[in-house]
Structures are given as structure tokens and as C-alpha cells.
Amino acid sequence: MATREIIEAPDARLKVVSDPVTRFDDELKALVADMFETMYDAPGIGLAAIQVGVPLRVLVIDLQPDDEDAEPELCHSHGGHEHYHQPTRREPRVFINPEILDPSEEHAIYNEGCLSVPEIYAEVERPARIRARWQDADGKLHEEEMDGLMATCLQHEIDHLEGILFIDHLSRLKRNMALKKLEKLRKAA
Ligand code: NI
């Protein structure tokens, strides 16, 4: 596993429409592992493969932040050596070739951000509930109803597969302001 470099706006690669995954092989599993490591390292709650320069319909999501304030737990389970684990509430989820079915007419607004648009946040309105269909890393098909942050996050990530960023949902004025702010932050860094 390794972290990969995250591409940032306005890089043209972020506008690419990603291709469906057809081979559920070790290369795919290695990509997924690297994407999780990159996302946790950033840290972020979602990452699309195109954000690390791979134009495939692969997403990773984990809405649970690490619980850094939690008390370390004493662990006896490894050959009798006592040691401590930092408990985490990680809930890693992989979505290959995801699709949205039945978006609700009711909308929800979240203050969104994106690892490819660092330090910029803006309110985006999306369907509040969806049914999602996707494959896991073994190619098995899944379907699930989603709402709340999970529904919003999956829609944000699926947008990446179509070459769409959350700032593309804003008015042109707000989008240009966001891109200018990003350029300023980059120059200052
Ligand atoms: Ni994003």
C-alpha cells in the first residue's frame, strides 16, 4: 500500500469521464488499498480514482473519522503480548461502477468540500435520498437505500466519475471566486 498524489483543480484530468471497471483483479484491489491509504492520510471521507489520476469508476468512502480522543484499549490477542490499540470506528466502503437509482424529489443541502479543491467549502443541494447500485472489489452486485451524509457523499463522488466537481454546482460567480481563492492559497503555500 502507498499513498498517491491527489490531483487538484483546475487540472484537466478532473474533467475526464471515467471508464467502467471490467477486470476485478489484484491490480484493482491494489488501487483500492492505495485509495484508502491516500484518503485516510489526507484526511477525507471520500475519494474517486480519477483524483489520483486513474480514470476508472472506483470510489472509496468512510464517513467515520478516526476517534483520536478515545482511550487506548489494552489488547491481549497477539500471542500473549500485552499492548495498546487506538480504537477507531473506521467503516471503509468501496463502490465500483456505482449508479444512482430513484433520486428523491426532496433535496438536502450540505456544506461540501473536496480533496481536489482544498480548503474551499460551499453549500450544494442534491437529492436527499437515493437508491444506489454498485459492485464490490470482487465484482459482486449490491443495492442499498441511502440518505443523509452517505447519500450526499456518494453523489459527490459519482460526480467525479463524470468529470464534475462540487464547485460546478455553484453559480459561475461563486465557482470563479472559489478557483481564485484556491489559486491564492496555492501561491501562499
Ligand atoms: Ni471530491
Side-chain angles (χ1 to χ4, degrees):
M1 284 212 305
T3 59
R4 301 197 189 187
E5 194 191 334
I6 297 175
I7 295 171
E8 294 181 4
D11 193 304
R13 285 172 290 178
L14 292 168
K15 301 223 181 272
V16 166
V17 176
S18 294
D19 294 322
V21 170
T22 53
R23 281 183 311 188
F24 295 83
D25 55 8
D26 288 347
E27 205 178 317
L28 176 67
K29 289 179 176 77
L31 170 66
V32 167
D34 283 359
M35 285 173 65
F36 273 118
E37 191 167 338
T38 303
M39 181 183 77
Y40 287 129
D41 182 65
I45 60 171
L47 189 72
I50 192 62
Q51 291 179 275
V52 292
V54 180
L56 285 174
R57 302 183 86 81
V58 178
L59 310 174
V60 297
I61 291 178
D62 190 338
L63 303 182
Q64 305 291 342
D66 273 356
D67 195 357
E68 284 172 11
D69 298 329
E71 286 289 307
E73 287 166 353
L74 187 59
C75 176
H76 299 276
S77 62
H78 299 263
H81 295 287
E82 287 191 354
H83 60 278
Y84 288 89
H85 275 302
Q86 195 65 22
T88 59
R89 296 169 291 146
R90 279 187 178 174
E91 248 176 54
R93 302 195 63 176
V94 186
F95 299 88
I96 315 277
N97 302 328
E99 284 176 82
I100 289 169
L101 315 162
D102 305 334
S104 65
E105 278 177 28
E106 188 196 331
H107 282 66
I109 297 175
Y110 274 92
N111 198 33
E112 296 190 19
C114 180
L115 293 175
S116 292
V117 193
E119 299 190 58
I120 308 286
Y121 298 90
E123 289 191 336
V124 178
E125 191 175 336
R126 302 180 187 272
R129 286 179 310 281
I130 55 170
R131 199 151 52 83
R133 182 186 291 160
W134 70 95
Q135 286 168 283
D136 61 28
D138 295 313
K140 196 177 160 225
L141 206 59
H142 298 265
E143 212 173 291
E144 189 182 309
E145 309 256 349
M146 295 173 178
D147 60 8
L149 184 58
M150 189 64 213
T152 287
C153 189
L154 189 68
Q155 290 175 82
H156 172 122
E157 299 308 329
I158 288 178
D159 269 358
H160 277 297
L161 306 182
E162 301 300 329
I164 296 166
L165 297 173
F166 80 97
I167 53 173
D168 295 326
H169 289 279
L170 309 177
S171 68
R172 188 195 295 210
L173 181 71
K174 280 190 181 168
R175 180 167 62 250
N176 286 342
M177 276 168 58
L179 286 170
K180 272 209 185 96
K181 189 176 164 195
L182 191 62
E183 201 184 313
K184 246 188 218 163
L185 288 167
R186 198 167 290 143
K187 274 186 190 149

